[in-house]
Amino acid sequence: MREPEELDPAGSPDPLQDVGDMDPEAFRRYGYAVIDRITAYLDDPGVWPVLPDIQPGELRARLPADAPEDGEPMDRLLADFDRLILPATTHWNHPGFFAYFSISGSAPGILAEALTAALNVNAMLWRTGPAATELEETTLDWLRRLMGLPADFVGTINDTASLSTLHALAAAREADPDLAIRQLGLAGRSDLPRLRVYCSADAHSSVDKAVLTLGLGLDSVRQIHTGAYGGMDAAALDNAIRQDRSDGIRPMAVVATVGTTSTTAVDPVPAIADICGRENVWLHVDAAYGGVAALLPELRHVLDGCARADSLVVNPHKWLFVPVDCSVLYTRRPDVLKRAFSLVPEYLTTTDPSDTRNLMDYGVALGRRFRALKLWFVLRYFGASGIRSRLRQQIGMARDFAMWIDDDASFERMAPTQFSVVVFRFRPVGEMDEQRLDELNMQLLQQLNSSGEVFLSHTRVSGKYALRLAIGNIRTTPAHVGRVWQLARSAAERMS
Ligand SMILES: *Cc1c(COP(=O)(O)O)cnc(C)c1O
């Protein structure tokens, strides 16, 4: 229902004109109004509780069942954004957001997103997005050099690491042309051996999802146990591959992780690359979070051995201050990736030179957003040194927190802290009962998160319940990290 006295003519579709877009003056006015809102929000997202006080279904119940028949004024849309959407949002921008992997869509990236939306380019072909295609090549070359990866790594941008890993494993499957899976598929064939994908027990679930999407079946994933510090046991991988071969199973790919989601452990990639090289098995490295650390000379070693990988995924939307979504898949075998996905129907053929790169050839999606623009803005605005100093600050805060844990007899660290994540638990002096410790730590997490000031998540390390403090928000300062410690200490005292 419209209340005519509230109607702002500049903000609602002109009733006399039922065609065309918002008029430029109204666009300018509401454009400024949106920027003002973003500015106020980002200036202090901490005024919101990091987790909204809301139950599933509550927002839907407040929204109309049908789309409006008549256009509504922009003022009302913006008012509803303030009234309905903001309070129902988990505030990833909150400096007390320490759950999962804390991320930042920084200001230059947000502005680039607006420009991307305005251009509305669909870069399926070079022809349909020359700037998007070539800026993607250039920015991914920049990032590759910053990470110290060799020149034969060719990158493409996907939405998420899950898609990047799916694409990598599809390429791995295509790498053995004798299997003829592209043409004949997997179903109904008695001539195919079972294909195997190896990863550590702590690998991300996106590996399993890729395998089930590719029709290999979850039984095709063989989890290799981890050794000290959570990295894959390379000798166990070697044995598993030998054993599979002697059982007539074809090893298809190994997924090594640099920075696991649970504890940020790093698999021994050099040893894994030796095995993959000898066995002629595709090596994919999941560095979705940890890969960015290689921008720091002192952490460059986390990518040791990765130059020999066939593919590697890193997410600029995770720890490089680029707004969601932006995941980069590098591969040394772009020809194989292309063979896995290239299909050119008549209506998409072009007269451009045959070596012109068309992004649609490198994955499932035909249409491609112009995601390189935000990566370009972020890399240029902060510069490599600006990004390095922000990463160093976050790693420093994580080390401080780890030190406080180590110095307190009633807390313990559950994994090494080499990036910006601290895995720890409360352990009252003398308490040995593991079940009791699990319960205490669940309570601790619940108390921290109900404060509204901070949001942490949990994991299990060798079966033991542990809390994760993940630092990655560009607004998080030592004071915010200190506050978590204060809250944890006082909750622990209450429980002791
Ligand atoms: C976050 C993460 C993923 C999944 O990332 P999406 O982009 O959300 O698909 C995969 N692997 C690792 C190691 C991660 O940390």
Side-chain angles (χ1 to χ4, degrees):
M1 275 278 278
R2 277 193 183 176
E3 295 121 55
E5 64 283 2
E6 275 183 19
L7 262 184
D8 176 351
S12 55
D14 183 341
L16 297 176
Q17 189 185 312
D18 272 341
V19 292
D21 203 353
M22 183 187 285
D23 92 33
E25 270 319 306
F27 183 84
R28 186 192 311 279
R29 194 154 134 227
Y30 289 104
Y32 284 125
V34 166
I35 290 291
D36 285 343
R37 263 181 180 67
I38 297 175
T39 308
Y41 172 66
L42 292 182
D43 182 46
D44 192 8
V47 299
W48 295 92
V50 55
L51 281 173
D53 179 16
I54 188 171
Q55 296 305 314
E58 216 176 299
L59 176 63
R60 282 214 60 178
R62 300 183 69 188
L63 298 170
D66 290 304
E69 180 60 28
D70 297 315
E72 297 187 66
M74 276 302 289
D75 282 321
R76 191 179 302 166
L77 270 63
L78 293 175
D80 280 350
F81 176 81
D82 294 344
R83 188 172 65 89
L84 297 169
I85 304 304
L86 275 174
T89 296
T90 295
H91 291 285
W92 288 73
N93 287 295
H94 193 296
F97 191 109
F98 296 108
Y100 313 111
F101 281 109
S102 172
I103 58 174
S104 299
S106 62
I110 294 168
L111 294 174
E113 279 283 30
L115 296 170
T116 288
L119 293 180
N120 202 29
V121 154
N122 183 339
M124 48 195 186
L125 300 164
W126 178 87
R127 175 61 60 200
T128 66
T133 305
E134 294 188 21
L135 197 63
E136 187 161 318
E137 291 177 302
T138 299
T139 51
L140 297 190
D141 243 10
W142 288 4
L143 181 62
R144 174 185 65 71
R145 286 165 184 271
L146 288 171
M147 292 171 61
L149 292 169
D152 58 350
F153 274 64
V154 176
T156 41
I157 300 182
N158 295 301
D159 52 2
T160 57
S162 302
L163 253 287
S164 293
T165 290
L166 172 70
H167 291 161
L169 292 182
R173 194 176 66 171
E174 187 59 30
D176 187 348
D178 290 347
L179 300 174
I181 290 171
R182 181 185 154 103
Q183 193 59 38
L184 303 177
L186 291 161
R189 288 180 67 183
S190 54
D191 61 322
L192 280 184
R194 177 171 275 288
L195 305 175
R196 192 77 93 188
V197 175
Y198 308 82
C199 60
S200 95
D202 272 348
H204 192 265
S205 56
S206 54
V207 177
D208 304 78
K209 260 200 190 177
V211 160
L212 64 86
T213 306
L214 291 168
L216 301 172
L218 286 175
D219 285 353
S220 296
V221 179
R222 186 158 175 174
Q223 290 192 341
I224 307 299
H225 68 251
T226 54
Y229 308 123
M232 188 194 295
D233 180 339
L237 171 69
D238 201 6
N239 287 336
I241 290 178
R242 283 172 204 273
Q243 188 194 3
D244 277 349
R245 280 216 198 276
S246 72
D247 291 345
I249 294 171
R250 180 91 56 112
M252 187 188 98
V254 175
V255 180
T257 309
V258 171
T260 58
T261 312
S262 175
T263 65
T264 70
V266 177
D267 288 339
V269 179
I272 295 171
D274 287 345
I275 297 167
C276 289
R278 193 189 67 221
E279 296 285 339
N280 193 24
V281 174
W282 187 285
L283 173 58
H284 174 60
V285 175
D286 180 354
Y289 161 72
V292 168
L295 265 74
L296 302 174
E298 65 273 26
L299 282 178
R300 176 63 60 84
H301 62 84
V302 300
L303 290 186
D304 279 355
C306 291
R308 288 186 281 149
D310 296 283
S311 56
L312 177 145
V313 56
V314 60
N315 275 8
H317 78 220
K318 209 160 228 175
W319 204 18
L320 202 68
F321 313 114
V322 174
V324 171
D325 49 8
C326 184
S327 172
V328 178
L329 176 64
Y330 285 107
T331 178
R332 285 197 299 133
R333 303 174 71 183
D335 51 320
V336 179
L337 181 62
K338 186 172 172 182
R339 211 166 66 215
F341 287 109
S342 181
L343 272 180
V344 186
E346 178 55 34
Y347 50 83
L348 290 173
T349 54
T350 67
T351 53
D352 297 323
S354 62
D355 60 349
T356 307
R357 212 160 113 90
N358 295 315
L359 293 175
M360 68 170 188
D361 290 336
Y362 298 90
V364 176
L366 169 64
R368 298 273 180 159
R369 292 186 72 226
F370 189 174
R371 294 193 185 89
L373 193 69
K374 55 188 172 182
L375 179 56
W376 195 49
F377 270 38
V378 167
L379 290 176
R380 291 185 62 187
Y381 182 78
F382 294 115
S385 72
I387 288 169
R388 286 193 194 101
S389 58
R390 284 166 179 80
L391 295 176
R392 282 195 184 105
Q393 186 211 19
Q394 296 187 343
I395 292 167
M397 288 189 283
R399 297 215 168 128
D400 286 345
F401 190 86
M403 212 169 60
W404 302 334
I405 297 283
D406 293 350
D407 288 347
D408 190 313
S410 50
F411 282 85
E412 69 180 345
R413 209 134 54 84
M414 302 298 282
T417 303
Q418 55 177 334
F419 299 104
S420 65
V421 176
V422 187
V423 186
F424 67 100
R425 70 172 176 175
F426 170 46
R427 184 180 187 173
V429 178
E431 182 58 69
M432 304 295 280
D433 183 64
E434 286 299 337
Q435 206 180 332
R436 174 82 186 128
L437 286 171
D438 284 0
E439 282 161 16
L440 283 172
N441 281 281
M442 285 177 206
Q443 279 173 33
L444 173 61
L445 182 65
Q446 209 260 327
Q447 290 193 31
L448 288 173
N449 289 350
S450 63
S451 70
E453 289 185 64
V454 298
F455 179 29
L456 282 74
S457 57
H458 77 278
T459 185
R460 281 188 187 271
V461 182
S462 309
K464 299 167 185 173
Y465 191 94
L467 276 61
R468 286 171 79 264
L469 178 91
I471 299 172
N473 190 298
I474 204 163
R475 278 171 206 83
T476 297
T477 66
H480 297 110
V481 177
R483 181 69 183 143
V484 180
W485 183 229
Q486 206 178 22
L487 288 168
R489 287 285 315 272
S490 46
E493 269 161 38
R494 282 195 303 275
M495 287 191 289
S496 292

